[in-house]
């Protein structure tokens, strides 16, 4: 049975954000999960399985959120929502242009800490080294870091600091099953807070 995927765009006004007390990635994650309350998506760990999201940039007066899911979201009681089903065969190509927001980080076994990767070249190499475990390969020379930022917010009683980097380039699928799983569930750390969603466009090389 072919897995269906739905790409949605949630648009929130400043009033919507204030009414729902959305101030950071954690509170936005809560709002997005609410769209799937009746969707039958099971939780895996601390994040729902099959839901990914990313803030879209460049919209001063509105907050726009891209959402990828295996079931369509419900109609929100605030803001606006557009949803489309991705076509069958979308994951059958060998090459894709990609755009992804990642949390480049490394777990140090001695200190037991997760530390951010710094510097564009190091971030790109980090991404290229891990690409095979996600079912694809990239040429580091053809990957670009388009922006970086650090986001800080509170989750429960803890302070969370998340380093984010936006990357774009071209990837080659090396293992279709693993790649499909990566597309479905996202890649890397920070997926509950807007990282890991692979935006891809099939291309012919």
């Amino acid at each position: 049975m072919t897995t269906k995927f739905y790409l949605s765009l949630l648009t929130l006004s400043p009033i919507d954000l204030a009414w729902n007390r959305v101030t950071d990635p954690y509170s936005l994650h809560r709002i997005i999960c609410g769209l799937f309350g009746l969707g039958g998506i099971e939780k895996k760990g601390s994040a729902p399985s099959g839901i990914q999201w990313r803030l879209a940039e460049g919209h001063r007066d509105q907050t726009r959120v891209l959402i990828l899911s295996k079931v369509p979201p419900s109609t929100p009681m605030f803001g606006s929502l557009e949803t489309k089903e991705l076509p069958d065969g979308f994951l059958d190509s060998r090459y894709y242009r990609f755009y992804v927001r990642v949390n480049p980080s490394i777990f140090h076994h001695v200190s037991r800490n997760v530390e951010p990767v710094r510097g564009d070249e190091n971030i790109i190499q980090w991404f290229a080294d891990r690409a095979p475990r996600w079912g694809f390969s990239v040429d580091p020379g053809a990957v670009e870091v388009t922006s970086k930022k650090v986001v800080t917010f509170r989750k429960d009683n803890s302070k969370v600091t998340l380093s984010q980097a936006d990357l774009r380039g071209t990837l080659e699928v090396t293992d279709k099953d693993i790649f499909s799983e990566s597309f479905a569930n996202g890649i890397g750390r920070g997926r509950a807070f807007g990282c890991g969603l692979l935006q891809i466009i099939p291309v012919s090389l």
Side-chain angles (χ1 to χ4, degrees):
M1 182 177 178
T2 303
T3 302
K4 298 293 185 181
F5 293 101
Y6 299 87
L7 186 63
S8 304
L9 179 65
L10 174 66
T11 302
L12 303 171
S13 70
I15 294 177
D16 295 325
L17 297 177
W19 181 259
N20 290 279
R21 299 179 180 178
V22 177
T23 58
D24 53 42
Y26 187 47
S27 52
L28 184 55
H29 171 68
R30 170 179 51 82
I31 294 299
I32 294 168
C33 287
L35 298 175
F36 297 89
L38 301 178
I41 297 179
E42 298 179 357
K43 286 190 175 183
K44 182 181 295 184
S46 61
S49 174
I51 302 174
Q52 300 176 68
W53 63 274
R54 183 185 70 78
L55 279 173
E57 305 294 347
H59 304 279
R60 179 182 301 177
D61 298 326
Q62 295 178 324
T63 295
R64 306 182 75 189
V65 187
L66 292 173
I67 305 170
L68 181 68
S69 58
K70 296 178 183 178
V71 297
S74 59
T75 301
M77 298 179 63
F78 47 85
S80 64
L81 183 71
E82 303 171 48
T83 299
K84 66 178 182 180
E85 182 181 328
L86 295 182
D88 291 340
F90 183 73
L91 295 179
D92 290 343
S93 295
R94 181 176 178 183
Y95 298 99
Y96 293 86
R97 287 200 304 272
F98 73 87
Y99 179 84
V100 65
R101 176 165 295 157
V102 290
N103 170 218
S105 55
I106 297 175
F107 178 75
H108 288 272
H109 293 278
V110 176
S111 66
R112 311 299 294 177
N113 292 326
V114 175
E115 299 182 5
V117 177
R118 305 185 188 279
D120 289 6
E121 290 185 3
N122 292 332
I123 290 172
I124 291 171
Q125 193 60 55
W126 170 91
F127 183 75
D129 290 344
R130 283 156 181 74
R133 73 177 65 171
W134 298 323
F136 59 89
S137 64
V138 297
D139 175 3
V143 177
E144 177 186 4
V145 177
T146 60
S147 68
K148 293 178 293 186
K149 66 179 178 180
V150 176
V151 179
T152 301
F153 55 94
R154 298 199 69 82
K155 178 185 177 184
D156 301 325
N157 295 321
S158 301
K159 179 181 178 181
V160 178
T161 300
L162 195 67
S163 296
Q164 298 179 342
D166 294 344
L167 281 69
R168 67 182 178 190
T170 302
L171 63 82
E172 178 182 2
V173 177
T174 55
D175 187 310
K176 183 179 177 181
D177 290 339
I178 297 177
F179 178 70
S180 297
E181 189 73 15
S182 297
F183 178 75
N185 295 316
I187 62 174
R189 294 185 174 92
R191 283 174 283 176
F193 307 120
C195 296
L197 193 163
L198 273 172
Q199 290 179 258
I200 52 175
I201 301 174
V203 294
S204 298
L205 295 180

